[in-house]
Amino acid sequence: MTHVPSSDIRTAFSAAMSAMYRNEVPAYGTLMDLVARVNDETLAGEPELKARLETTDNLDRISEERHGAIRLGTAEELSMMRRVFAVMGMYPVGYYDLSTAGVPVHSTAFRPVGDAALKRNPFRVFTSLLRLDLIADESLRAQAQQILATRQIFTAGAIELTKKAETDGGLSQADAERFVAEVLETFRWHDKAIVDVDMYHRLHAAHRLIADVVSFKGPHINHLTPRTLDIDKVQALMPEYEIAPKAVVEGPPTRRCPILLRQTSFKALEEAVSFDDGNGGWKTGSHTARFGEIEQRGIALTPKGRALYDSLLEASRKVVRPTADGSNAKAYEAALAEAFKAFPDSWESIRAEGFGYFSYSLTEKGRRAASSSALDVEQLISDGLIVFDPIVYEDFLPVSAAGIFQSNLGDGAQQEFVASPNQQRFEADLGAQVLNEFDHYAGIEKASLDACINVLTRRSAAE
Ligand code: OOG
Ligand code: NI
């Protein structure tokens, strides 16, 4: 029996999720329309960019979703989610500790790994696990644990088909379609809470995020994120479309050579939900969790480049810390731009400093060259035999993620937790190790260079 490629299941899943979310959150549909408009305008105004994207990206899918996010409650949920995502060719990459930023979760991103799979469809899911160990109130912690233990976030069909895919090494077309429909259920919004209003308020008082994770039947998708070609423009146009942008764009400032990841969102909406009233009826209330986000990606940085990025970001935040109400947004942008003057802004200099990862390929001249005795990379570049292009950053940034979390948890007082990264615990709960993103990019860079050198040396040997 032929199996559906996992990338096709991922594509079907992300399309199904997009349709469901637009339907559930109309403001998200508005954001998608705005993103498509700005992308069209950007491409029309920059023929060079258009030509480049035509050869490297699927232009007709340029405005599609690139990621989404969920928050899980237990180790069992996390490890089963890992198995579900594996069926779609999505594997855990990176570990993000958000406790330092006042959010009681730690996270990974399930994403396709490798050039071919990323090109087919780069959709990823930022997946957080609640850390009840950071909650001081012991009795509340125990109650939250009890509530979480009673819920089953996966349908029987989703579990059965995941096992089938594991045993058979894939799914048939009919099973893949059923799988997508069944898994979608886990991400659906439920407006009826599984706790009463008092419990909801207690959880909420401990941390809004705890209420979001513990109070509902499942880990509703809390945002989806299409790709924009001009994040500053979408941010500026949001109010015109009657959606409220978060105060500032997260990540690096606007630059000629984009680095890492820039992202912004519209603020989470207050939505009607109902709580068990204890008398067999329902009591209406509200909950704020769901929003829409946009992203624009740049080059993946080496540990050295990343260290510089982190230090410049920290330096600018010492000058101006962006407030949730946006009142100092301009000052923050200025401080950020000023600090990042220290980060080189040409591909040549980023490469020369060893700040970024590049992929190497043979030029026309390199392909035609009978041989090259000079196998020194710099020499090959200056001889015009090979060229280098930035490798796109496919992961996330903890400070940015914290900013996205914060702006969508309401603008109330920030909570402080003692920093306590616990990757070992996370991986034990996940049932697997997460891939180290730096090793991964270094591997892609090396493979591209080796491939060039191989062609060139094989020719010299054949002489
Ligand atoms: C996840 C926030 C992080 C991002 O793009 O950095 C995130 C969440 O709110 O659950 O999605
Ligand atoms: Ni996001």
Side-chain angles (χ1 to χ4, degrees):
M1 156 129 37
T2 54
H3 288 147
V4 180
S6 56
S7 287
D8 291 0
I9 308 182
R10 181 170 67 258
T11 298
F13 174 70
S14 103
M17 194 105 102
S18 178
M20 178 176 84
Y21 202 60
R22 272 181 201 232
N23 190 27
E24 288 180 348
V25 184
Y28 177 66
T30 308
L31 178 69
M32 288 293 275
D33 294 341
L34 170 58
V35 166
R37 175 189 139 189
V38 169
N39 284 352
D40 284 348
E41 287 173 4
T42 307
L43 289 171
E46 293 179 49
E48 249 176 51
L49 174 71
K50 186 169 179 192
R52 185 154 45 80
L53 292 178
E54 243 153 21
T55 59
T56 53
D57 296 62
N58 276 320
L59 261 196
D60 53 330
R61 300 212 328 236
I62 209 84
S63 304
E64 276 182 9
E65 280 82 4
R66 300 296 154 133
H67 83 259
I70 52 170
R71 304 155 184 171
L72 301 172
T74 67
E76 290 71 31
E77 291 174 359
L78 181 66
S79 68
M80 186 63 209
M81 199 51 103
R82 170 179 60 78
R83 294 166 60 189
V84 168
F85 280 134
V87 177
M88 299 189 255
M90 297 158 81
Y91 305 98
V93 182
Y95 172 78
Y96 306 96
D97 168 37
L98 292 164
S99 64
T100 35
V103 185
V105 303
H106 48 183
S107 322
T108 189
F110 288 96
R111 70 162 175 91
V113 171
D115 206 36
L118 282 163
K119 276 220 172 76
R120 289 293 293 280
N121 187 310
F123 187 68
R124 350 164 157 67
V125 178
F126 190 94
T127 304
S128 300
L129 177 64
L130 180 62
R131 291 188 65 181
L132 288 174
D133 58 304
L134 296 181
I135 302 313
D137 181 341
E138 265 178 49
S139 83
L140 186 67
R141 195 191 309 165
Q143 281 172 306
Q145 245 154 9
Q146 248 168 31
I147 297 164
L148 287 170
T150 63
R151 72 176 191 179
Q152 169 54 273
I153 65 169
F154 300 98
T155 66
I159 296 172
E160 173 215 315
L161 287 164
T162 300
K163 288 183 179 159
K164 188 169 179 186
E166 288 171 345
T167 320
D168 300 352
L171 293 175
S172 68
Q173 183 62 43
D175 279 346
E177 283 168 23
R178 247 186 78 214
F179 173 84
V180 168
E182 295 284 346
V183 170
L184 197 63
E185 289 308 307
T186 300
F187 294 79
R188 194 181 289 287
W189 176 250
H190 298 280
D191 62 4
K192 289 192 166 56
I194 57 171
V195 298
D196 62 29
V197 78
D198 289 343
M199 178 53 84
Y200 177 82
H201 287 311
R202 285 182 60 206
L203 295 167
H204 196 274
H207 197 291
R208 300 173 68 116
L209 196 108
I210 302 174
D212 183 55
V213 176
V214 179
S215 307
F216 299 93
K217 207 173 137 197
H220 38 254
I221 182 86
N222 66 51
H223 68 280
L224 284 176
T225 311
R227 170 186 184 182
T228 173
L229 300 173
D230 190 342
I231 198 166
D232 296 307
K233 195 161 170 191
V234 177
Q235 171 85 350
L237 284 174
M238 272 196 228
E240 213 174 281
Y241 280 65
E242 288 176 7
I243 41 187
K246 79 185 275 305
V248 298
V249 172
E250 297 291 340
T254 315
R255 294 162 45 87
R256 252 195 330 212
C257 297
I259 55 173
L260 297 172
L261 169 66
R262 301 185 72 209
Q263 49 196 151
T264 185
S265 64
F266 68 75
K267 292 197 176 175
L269 308 167
E270 192 177 322
E271 300 178 88
V273 290
S274 41
F275 300 95
D276 188 341
D277 72 357
N279 296 315
W282 294 96
K283 191 179 159 123
T284 308
S286 74
H287 181 64
T288 307
R290 302 194 296 171
F291 58 99
E293 188 192 11
I294 50 173
E295 64 167 53
Q296 189 167 16
R297 291 180 180 270
I299 189 175
L301 299 183
T302 60
K304 191 176 162 201
R306 176 58 181 271
L308 179 60
Y309 169 81
D310 286 339
S311 74
L312 296 178
L313 187 68
E314 202 186 297
S316 65
R317 286 187 181 234
K318 274 202 183 115
V319 180
V320 183
R321 207 186 165 80
T323 55
D325 64 4
S327 53
N328 63 359
K330 284 272 169 291
Y332 171 69
E333 273 166 28
L336 190 68
E338 183 57 33
F340 273 80
K341 281 186 181 157
F343 203 109
D345 201 8
S346 74
W347 298 128
E348 289 72 20
S349 53
I350 290 172
R351 184 176 166 279
E353 297 283 353
F355 285 157
Y357 291 110
F358 292 87
S359 135
Y360 296 85
S361 55
L362 292 170
T363 59
E364 193 50 41
K365 184 177 170 194
R367 274 191 292 274
R368 273 187 285 120
S371 67
S372 171
S373 45
L375 290 178
D376 172 60
V377 184
E378 304 313 316
Q379 189 66 49
L380 290 170
I381 292 170
S382 59
D383 289 350
L385 299 181
I386 62 173
V387 284
F388 53 90
D389 292 295
I391 294 176
V392 177
Y393 188 60
E394 306 288 355
D395 295 289
F396 292 87
L397 298 166
V399 175
S400 298
I404 297 283
F405 265 109
Q406 290 299 354
S407 78
N408 288 294
L409 289 171
D411 304 337
Q414 275 193 221
Q415 229 167 310
E416 300 291 337
F417 293 105
V418 180
S420 55
N422 197 340
Q423 184 167 347
Q424 259 183 7
R425 180 61 203 263
F426 185 82
E427 290 178 331
D429 289 350
L430 179 67
Q433 287 190 323
V434 301
L435 194 67
N436 177 296
E437 56 181 75
F438 294 107
D439 294 349
H440 183 57
Y441 293 116
I444 297 174
E445 178 178 84
K446 182 170 186 305
S448 72
L449 193 54
D450 287 351
C452 295
I453 304 274
N454 270 342
V455 172
L456 294 166
T457 45
R458 227 179 287 133
R459 290 199 192 138
S460 339
E463 257 183 321

